[in-house]
């Protein structure tokens, strides 16, 4: 307990002179709204291990911030939600999850509400039976067996209904595993928009597809389809549509940026194919921010930190001042500069 | 008979609960078991404080060592420090300076003595998160095969060193 306070105090002190820029600027939203919403929802499920019952999404602690950064980096590298949570679970144990998983050691915890409910119903039934057995003589005159049996039957039915309802609600709301829900509501939750908006986007995609069936050479429609698919997180479909749009003449820096990003998300790494797309994006629009971000990241991963810093720095300067991308790219460049400074003897 | 049972059962349950609360209250919670114990040490690559390249688990492979997470900002680490200094005469201790300014780390070690064979810098918690660290100090006993043999959350007291760490290191040799 005391140690926690010491640690918290220490972290506060560290904050004073910390000033180390983070690779991703974890508190800045990610470019891809789908990934950002996923990052937020994962962060809500992870415990800030130095705080009292707060998620890393809510906490301002340094360690929580670092963990948020890690979540975002892993998502960017293409991890699934459960892979991200699993990675942190392997390091901190179940404790890091705000909602404990269902397994042998937690079975009692999770089944206690249902067990108590059943026990309560059993006790209630027993008590009721006793009452029925001691029913007043007036009722007995009507045929005591019938009356007791009838009310016991009603009670049993009622109890059965309650148990089924409770079990149903419990499975729906209380089960700790991945919720088995149709795609639409889950997507809506992840994106932080209404189901109606998702449905609308899906309808729009279908309408565009219908239009493309009639006019397969409509470049604008292919582009719109590509962006709708990206919005819905279907990157493989988005890539096909964007390629078609480019082929038909809708080729500017932004479209190539979209394509490169979707390629990187689909393949979970920066492939030569994605590099090509970002290369084209830069040729058409030297200020395309995602090209700068990923081209720099690719260099950094290859160990060419100085080169990465140059690309990020240039990219940051090319953005409108104060924009999210300007900050994010500058953050990347600063981080690279710190690493470079450390490498120098 | 049944009537009595239903009267006493809830009271008994309550008494048991009360007893549990009474015996547990005021006790410090046991440190959470680390899922890392028994598993290979996670990979990391940290800049070395002395500037001589990077520190990876490769650096102490084949030897039983104590990996100690500390920081110049950490008050509890000051309390632990003399124990480590004494222990470093007979054991190898590797340091990870967590969320620290290298200059301050260096000053701190100059002033208090350096028990570490090598110190790696973890300014952005990368290795700390990989190690499941929740605060400083935290220490890990690493077996020669690279597995985590023991995790100590909090200060290594002379007793902990004598009774847990030293015998374990002896056995792992």
């Amino acid at each position: 307990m005391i140690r926690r306070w010491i640690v918290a105090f220490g972290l506060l002190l560290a904050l004073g002179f910390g000033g180390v820029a983070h690779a991703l600027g974890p508190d800045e939203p990610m470019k891809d709204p789908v990934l950002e919403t996923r990052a937020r929802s994962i962060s809500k499920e992870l415990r800030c291990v130095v705080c009292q019952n707060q998620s890393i999404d809510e906490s301002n602690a340094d360690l929580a911030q670092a963990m948020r950064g890690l979540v975002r980096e892993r998502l960017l590298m293409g991890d699934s939600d459960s892979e991200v949570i699993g990675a942190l679970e392997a390091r901190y144990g179940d404790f890091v999850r705000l909602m404990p998983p269902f397994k042998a050691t937690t079975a009692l915890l999770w089944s206690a509400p249902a067990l108590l409910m059943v026990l309560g119903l059993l006790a209630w039934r027993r008590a009721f039976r006793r009452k029925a057995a001691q029913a007043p003589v007036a009722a007995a005159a009507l045929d005591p067996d019938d009356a007791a049996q009838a009310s016991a039957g009603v009670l049993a039915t009622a109890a059965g209904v309650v148990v089924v309802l409770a079990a149903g609600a419990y499975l729906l709301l209380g089960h700790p595993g991945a919720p088995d829900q149709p795609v639409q509501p889950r997507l809506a939750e992840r994106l932080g928009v209404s189901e109606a908006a998702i449905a609308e986007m899906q309808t729009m995609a279908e309408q565009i597809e219908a239009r493309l069936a009639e006019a397969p050479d409509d470049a604008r429609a292919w582009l719109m389809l590509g962006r709708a698919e990206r919005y819905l997180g279907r990157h493989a479909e988005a890539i096909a549509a964007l390629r078609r749009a480019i082929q038909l003449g809708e080729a500017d820096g932004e479209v190539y940026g979209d394509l490169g990003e979707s390629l990187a998300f689909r393949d979970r790494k920066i492939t030569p194919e994605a590099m090509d797309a970002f290369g084209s994006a830069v040729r058409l629009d030297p200020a395309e921010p995602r090209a700068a971000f990923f081209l720099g990241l690719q260099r950094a991963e290859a160990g060419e930190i100085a080169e990465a810093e140059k690309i990020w720095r240039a990219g940051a300067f090319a953005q409108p001042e104060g924009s999210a991308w300007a900050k994010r790219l500058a953050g990347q460049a600063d981080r690279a500069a710190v690493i470079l400074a450390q490498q120098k003897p | 008979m049944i009537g009595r049972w239903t009267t006493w059962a809830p009271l008994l349950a309550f008494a048991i609960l009360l007893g549990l609360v009474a015996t547990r209250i005021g006790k410090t919670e046991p440190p959470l078991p680390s899922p890392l114990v028994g598993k290979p040490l996670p990979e990391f690559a940290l800049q070395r404080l002395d500037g001589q390249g990077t520190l990876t688990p490769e650096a102490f492979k084949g030897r039983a060592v104590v990996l100690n997470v500390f920081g110049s900002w950490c008050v509890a680490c000051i309390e632990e420090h003399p124990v480590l200094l004494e222990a470093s005469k007979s054991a190898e201790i590797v340091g990870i300076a967590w969320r620290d300014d290298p200059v301050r780390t260096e000053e701190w070690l100059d002033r208090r003595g350096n028990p570490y064979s090598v110190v790696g810098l973890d300014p952005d918690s990368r290795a700390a998160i990989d190690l499941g660290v929740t605060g400083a100090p935290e220490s890990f006993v690493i077996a020669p095969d690279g597995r985590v043999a023991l995790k100590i959350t909090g200060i290594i007291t002379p007793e902990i060193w004598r009774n847990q760490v030293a015998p374990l290191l002896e056995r792992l040799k």
Side-chain angles (χ1 to χ4, degrees):
Chain A
M1 214 40 230
I2 289 167
R3 198 170 74 89
R4 274 207 187 139
W5 284 108
I6 294 174
V7 168
F9 182 63
L11 286 175
L12 266 179
L13 280 182
L15 258 179
F17 58 81
V20 181
H22 277 274
L24 261 177
D27 283 323
E28 278 184 47
M30 293 166 86
K31 165 83 181 174
D32 187 314
V34 180
L35 282 183
E36 175 59 21
T37 342
R38 280 174 63 197
R40 289 298 303 271
S41 77
I42 292 172
S43 297
K44 287 195 175 88
E45 281 178 42
L46 292 172
R47 182 189 302 277
C48 163
V49 290
V50 295
C51 319
Q52 299 282 356
N53 219 24
Q54 260 189 331
S55 74
I56 60 170
D57 188 60
E58 299 160 321
S59 170
N60 289 323
D62 272 8
L63 192 60
Q65 194 186 0
M67 283 166 79
R68 283 199 300 271
L70 187 89
V71 166
R72 281 166 168 79
E73 272 183 31
R74 284 194 155 257
L75 285 179
L76 203 61
M77 291 310 176
D79 271 16
S80 71
D81 293 13
S82 52
E83 277 168 343
V84 176
I85 294 177
L88 281 156
E89 212 176 344
R91 291 157 173 90
Y92 287 100
D94 291 345
F95 174 65
V96 82
R97 292 176 60 159
L98 278 170
M99 200 201 258
F102 189 87
K103 51 194 217 183
T105 47
T106 57
L108 190 63
L109 175 71
W110 280 104
S111 50
L115 273 176
L116 285 176
M117 177 106 197
V118 170
L119 277 177
L121 280 171
L122 285 176
W124 185 36
R125 216 181 94 164
R126 269 180 83 154
F128 193 89
R129 278 206 171 150
R130 262 205 338 271
K131 248 188 197 158
Q134 300 161 354
V137 189
L142 291 171
D143 189 349
D145 281 352
D146 266 11
Q149 256 169 22
S151 47
V154 170
L155 189 64
T157 318
V161 170
V162 170
V163 168
V164 168
L165 280 180
Y170 176 64
L171 282 178
L172 258 177
L173 306 169
H175 195 274
D180 181 17
Q181 290 176 345
V183 170
Q184 215 161 289
R186 288 188 64 184
L187 204 55
E189 204 184 314
R190 259 182 19 194
L191 294 174
V193 297
S194 66
E195 266 178 62
I198 298 286
E200 204 174 300
M201 190 56 89
Q202 279 172 340
T203 319
M204 202 179 103
E206 278 159 25
Q207 280 169 354
I208 303 171
E209 273 172 333
R211 161 151 181 82
L212 282 168
E214 286 168 25
D217 289 338
D218 186 340
R220 196 79 207 151
W222 280 111
L223 179 57
M224 280 165 69
L225 179 64
R227 296 221 162 116
E229 300 285 22
R230 274 170 59 76
Y231 182 85
L232 294 167
R234 300 194 293 229
H235 290 289
E237 288 81 354
I239 290 163
L242 290 171
R243 281 209 189 287
R244 192 92 176 91
I246 290 170
Q247 213 181 3
L248 292 168
E250 279 289 342
D252 60 15
E254 200 187 347
V255 181
Y256 274 110
D258 283 347
L259 177 63
E261 201 178 44
S262 279
L263 281 165
F265 287 150
R266 184 196 64 183
D267 299 331
R268 304 175 164 207
K269 58 174 183 266
I270 312 166
T271 55
E273 211 183 351
M275 290 288 288
D276 276 350
F278 289 128
S280 305
V282 173
R283 265 193 301 283
L284 291 166
D285 177 7
E288 163 53 36
R290 285 161 304 174
F293 181 82
F294 280 101
L295 289 173
L297 197 60
Q298 196 267 344
R299 288 304 178 93
E301 277 171 6
E304 300 163 32
I305 311 287
E307 196 54 37
E309 194 210 347
K310 233 180 268 170
I311 294 174
W312 282 328
R313 192 74 68 198
F317 277 126
Q319 306 307 314
E321 208 170 319
S323 68
W325 268 111
K327 280 186 214 148
R328 185 165 168 194
L329 288 168
Q332 290 288 83
D334 290 345
R335 172 85 191 107
V338 169
I339 294 174
L340 282 175
Q342 281 176 359
Q343 277 175 356
K344 276 187 196 130
Chain B
M1 218 31 212
I2 287 164
R4 236 177 232 181
W5 182 82
T6 45
T7 314
W8 287 107
L11 275 175
L12 189 69
F14 181 69
I16 290 172
L17 197 66
L18 205 69
L20 276 175
V21 171
T23 51
R24 300 291 309 154
I25 204 162
K27 289 228 175 103
T28 45
E29 46 197 310
L32 290 154
S34 168
L36 279 180
V37 172
K39 300 226 175 69
L41 186 68
E43 285 296 320
F44 53 76
L46 301 172
Q47 293 291 327
R48 285 170 54 147
L49 179 64
D50 57 16
Q52 312 274 310
T54 50
L55 168 68
T56 65
E58 201 58 35
F60 42 86
K61 208 172 174 188
R63 302 194 298 279
V65 300
V66 175
L67 187 66
N68 178 252
V69 179
F70 74 105
S72 68
W73 46 266
C74 156
V75 185
C77 298
I78 300 173
E79 197 180 326
E80 182 185 59
H81 202 70
V83 181
L84 296 184
L85 267 184
E86 180 61 33
S88 66
K89 290 174 190 162
S90 59
E92 179 175 355
I93 305 175
V94 175
I96 291 184
W98 180 33
R99 295 205 69 87
D100 209 356
D101 183 317
V103 178
R104 286 186 188 238
T105 313
E106 199 127 29
E107 275 173 13
W108 197 81
L109 290 173
D110 281 349
R111 193 162 71 239
R112 297 171 199 280
N114 187 349
Y116 304 110
S117 61
V118 54
V119 175
L121 300 170
D122 186 24
D124 50 11
S125 299
R126 234 156 225 295
I129 292 177
D130 274 346
L131 290 166
V133 165
T134 57
E138 269 182 32
S139 309
F140 302 83
V141 177
I142 315 294
D145 66 356
R147 285 178 188 280
V148 178
L150 176 70
K151 177 182 178 183
I152 298 141
T153 305
I155 296 168
I156 300 183
T157 60
E159 291 74 37
I160 291 178
W161 183 272
R162 221 174 25 243
N163 300 333
Q164 293 184 42
V165 183
L168 182 59
L169 285 172
E170 197 54 45
R171 243 181 299 141
L172 290 172
K173 255 176 202 165

